[in-house]
Amino acid sequence: MRSQEPSFQSFVVIGVTAAALLLGAAPAAPQALHSERFSGGSELVFVTQPLAGATTLAWPQADGGTHAITLGQLNLVPDAESALLAVDPPPPVVVVVGGSQLGELASAIERAVGGRAAAPAPAGRPLIDEGGIDRRLGASDGEATVRIEVPLPPPADWRRSTVEVLWELMPELLSGEHPGYRTRLEGEWGVLEGNVDADLVDLELRQLRFEIARIGESVVLDGRRVEAARSRLEVRRRALLAAHPDGARAVLERWQGGGVAGVREFLFGIVSVTEATVREAARTWLPQHPGRAVLVLPPRVFNPRFAPGPEVVTLGNDATAAVLEREIAGLAVINLRPILLPDLDGELSATVLARVAAELRASEAPPGWIRVLGSPAALELATSPEGLPELVEVLQEALDRVAADDRSLAVEGSSARRRALELMSGVLSLGEGGELSSSALLRPSNLAVGVVAPDAETAAEALEKFGLGGPARPAAAMGQAVQPVPKTREAAPGDDSALAVALDLGVATDELTAAMAGEVLARRVAARGIARDVELLRPLVPGRSVLVLVVQAAGPLDALEKGLARAWSALTAAVGEDEAAAVGRALAARLAADASGPLGQARRCAALAAGSGPWRNAEDLEREVLALTAEELSAVLRQLPPWPEATTTGAGLLPVPGAPRR
C-alpha cells in the first residue's frame, strides 16, 4: 500500500497541472490529496501543502466540536501518534494538512487508530430555511438593511465552486440596478447585504430575488469577469490551506459535508470554473433556492405586529369591502361571502358560490386559487400580487352570469338534520330556505368582500371600477313567508333524529366569548354521550347574538330530547379553571389557524365587512381567547334559559298518534 503513495500523489499533481494548462490558467500549486481507510473504520484525509513548515491534524469530537493540533516537523510523527492514542474511541476521520511526510505520518496514524472501532461520524442534518423573511429592529432614523442568505450546493456537488465564484461576482452583476451590495461566504451560505431606503425595503427585496433567480441570463456576465472572480477565490482557498489550523478545519468541514468527494471539489474544483459553467449553475441552482431574507428596519418601519388594520369601504352599489394592505403577503386574495343566509349552516348558499367558482374555472383567465368554503359560506380566490384588477374583472363577469338566475333553488335531501335546521331558520325569522335564489343571495347589498393586497388604494379602485357585485338591486325576500306559529317538530325519513337548540346570548356578548361558551357546551354534550354527532353553528341574525347547537342520534326524537333535558342543568353549570384552559387552547389554535396568512386575513376582512366581528389578526384571536376566564364563561352559561324555556326544533322519528307506548 505504501509503495503506491508516491505515484498517487504524482498523479494528482500532474492531473491538476495539465487541466490548468488546458484551460489557459496558471499552473496549479503542487497540492496533493491522499485518502485511505484503516481497519476499525477511521479514515485518513491527507492534504500536502507546498513550502509547509508545520502540519495540522484535525478530527471531529463527540460533542460536535473540532479538535485541532499544529505540530512542527521535527517531532511531528511521535507527537501525532501520541495525541491520537489518547483519543478513545478513535475519531471517524483524521485530517492532515501541511508537510510532505506522508509515509511516516500515515503509518503512525494507522498504529494509533487502526484495529480500534472508530466513533461514528456525526450525522449531518441539512438545514432547510428558505423563502422566509425575518424582520429585526434596527437603529432609529437609519436606513434599512437587506440581507439575503442563499444556501450553497453541497460540498461534493460539482456546482459548489462555480456558485461560490458566481457569488463573488454578484455585486458586479447587480450594480446597475442595485448598487452598493456586498457578498461573503459564511459556512454553507452565501450572504448578500446592502443598505436601502426603509420605505422601499419590501419592493427592493422582491426585485433582488427576481434578479438573482435570473442572473444566469445576465448580459453583464462574461468570461473576463468570471476568470477574475475565479482567480480571487482560488487565491483565498490556497491562502486558507496555508494557514494553521484554519486550513485543516476547513478541509474537515468539507469532509463532514461531502466526504472525500467534498474535499476533492474544494481542492481542485475551482480550476474548471468557466463562464459556461457559471451560467449553467446559475440556471440550475439559484431559481430553486431563494434563501432566507433578514430585514433590519428602523422603528418607524418596524411594525409587523401593530400594522394598521383593514380599511372598510362601501362601494357605489352598496356592497361592503374591507381592504387590508400587506406588501409582503406574496398573494392578492379576495374572500366573497353573502351577509345574510336563509340556511343556518350555509350549505345551500355554498351551492350558489360553487356555480360562481365553476364559471371562474371555465373563464379564459381563471385565478390560480379557487375554493368554496362553508360555515360561513364564502368564495376564496387568490392570484399574484399584481393580478388583482384582472381577478376583480373576471370575478364580476362570473357573478353577473350566476346572479342573472332568479329561479328558486330546490332543497336537496330531507335528512333529520336538514329539516331541523330549516325549522330553526323559520323560528329565527330567516325563512325555511325554500325560496332561495342566486339573484337574491348575490345582490350587492348582501355581499361582504375581504381583500388582502399589496396596495389598498389600488385594490379599492379596482373594486369600484368593476363594480364588484353588479349594479345595485332592490332587496328581495329570501325564504318562505314565516308562519304565525312556526312549526318546531317534523317527521323525517330514516333512523336518525336531530335536535337544534338556539342559544340566545346577550347582544353585547363578544364573538370570542360566545364561541368559547358554545365550545364548552358542545364538548360537554359530546363527553356525556347524549348524541352521536354534536355541531355548533353561529348564524348571523340581525340584532341578536345566537348560537345553534345541533345534536343527532339514532332513535326516536323524544328520546334524544329527554336525554338533553335531563343533562341541561349540568351542561350549563359553572366552568372550572382546568376546563376553561383546555377549551381555550383548542379553540385558540383553531381560530389562529383559520386567520393565518393572507387567506386567513382575507377571511377576517370579510367577517369585518359582514359585521360579524371586529378586526383581529391571528395573534389577537389567540391571545384574547386564552385570556378568557372561567368566571366569564360561567356568566355566559348562566344567561341561558332553563330547558323548558329553551328554543328548540327537531326532526326524525316521531311517535305515531294513538300507538301503544312500549
Side-chain angles (χ1 to χ4, degrees), residues 200-478:
L200 302 176
V201 64
D202 291 301
L203 176 62
E204 178 75 7
L205 177 60
R206 287 200 300 271
Q207 291 178 344
L208 271 177
R209 282 181 159 168
F210 182 86
E211 294 292 336
I212 291 172
R214 291 161 175 77
I215 206 71
E217 310 302 327
S218 173
V219 296
V220 184
L221 183 62
D222 58 34
R224 178 185 58 81
R225 284 190 168 94
V226 169
E227 176 55 29
R230 186 206 66 78
S231 179
R232 291 194 300 270
L233 184 59
E234 185 178 22
V235 168
R236 281 202 295 271
R237 288 188 179 180
R238 290 183 184 178
L240 177 62
L241 288 169
H244 296 279
D246 298 339
R249 291 182 182 273
V251 173
L252 178 58
E253 288 178 5
R254 294 299 178 112
W255 182 90
Q256 290 176 312
V260 175
V263 178
R264 184 183 298 112
E265 203 286 331
F266 177 65
L267 295 176
F268 313 125
I270 190 68
V271 177
S272 60
V273 176
T274 65
E275 177 188 349
T277 62
V278 168
R279 288 189 183 275
E280 178 64 20
R283 294 186 184 109
T284 58
W285 183 261
L286 292 182
Q288 299 181 35
H289 296 276
R292 59 194 183 196
V294 178
L295 305 180
V296 182
L297 307 171
R300 66 183 179 84
V301 180
F302 180 76
N303 60 352
R305 181 176 177 184
F306 303 105
E311 177 186 359
V312 180
V313 295
T314 301
L315 305 181
N317 58 3
D318 294 331
T320 306
V323 182
L324 181 67
E325 181 176 299
R326 289 295 182 266
E327 292 186 7
I328 64 172
L331 292 172
V333 184
I334 292 179
N335 186 286
L336 177 77
R337 57 179 279 189
I339 299 174
L340 295 178
L341 306 178
D343 52 335
L344 290 176
D345 58 358
E347 289 185 4
L348 190 58
S349 302
T351 62
V352 176
L353 298 178
R355 291 181 57 192
V356 179
E359 292 285 347
L360 287 168
R361 293 188 181 97
S363 65
E364 294 183 358
W369 178 265
I370 304 173
R371 187 167 66 169
V372 177
L373 307 174
S375 299
L379 177 63
E380 187 175 79
L381 310 171
T383 187
S384 61
E386 63 277 3
L388 183 63
E390 292 77 9
L391 174 58
V392 175
E393 182 178 11
V394 72
L395 173 58
Q396 179 51 43
E397 293 172 355
L399 287 172
D400 282 342
R401 289 191 288 271
V402 176
D405 186 0
D406 58 2
R407 294 173 297 175
S408 299
L409 296 176
V411 180
E412 295 184 3
S414 55
S415 66
R417 175 185 174 277
R418 172 59 53 200
R419 294 304 302 150
L421 290 178
E422 290 173 0
L423 293 173
M424 181 58 72
S425 180
V427 170
L428 296 177
S429 301
L430 295 178
E432 294 187 30
E435 297 297 325
L436 172 65
S437 69
S438 301
S439 177
L441 187 72
L442 298 179
R443 69 183 189 277
S445 60
N446 194 47
L447 294 181
V449 186
V451 179
V452 176
D455 185 85
E457 184 177 355
T458 302
E461 290 176 356
L463 294 175
E464 191 67 64
K465 174 184 177 181
F466 295 106
L468 191 62
R473 302 195 299 273
M478 289 189 296

Side-chain angles (χ1 to χ4, degrees), residues 636-650:
V636 174
L637 293 180
R638 282 197 299 269
Q639 298 177 13
L640 300 179
W643 181 257
E645 301 174 17
T647 301
T648 63
T649 58

Side-chain angles (χ1 to χ4, degrees), residues 572-596:
T572 57
V575 180
E577 292 292 345
D578 291 342
E579 183 182 19
V583 173
R585 285 193 296 270
L587 181 62
R590 192 164 70 245
L591 292 178
D594 189 63
S596 177

Side-chain angles (χ1 to χ4, degrees), residues 493-505:
D495 297 328
D496 280 0
S497 294
L499 190 67
V501 184
L503 309 175
D504 215 333
L505 308 176

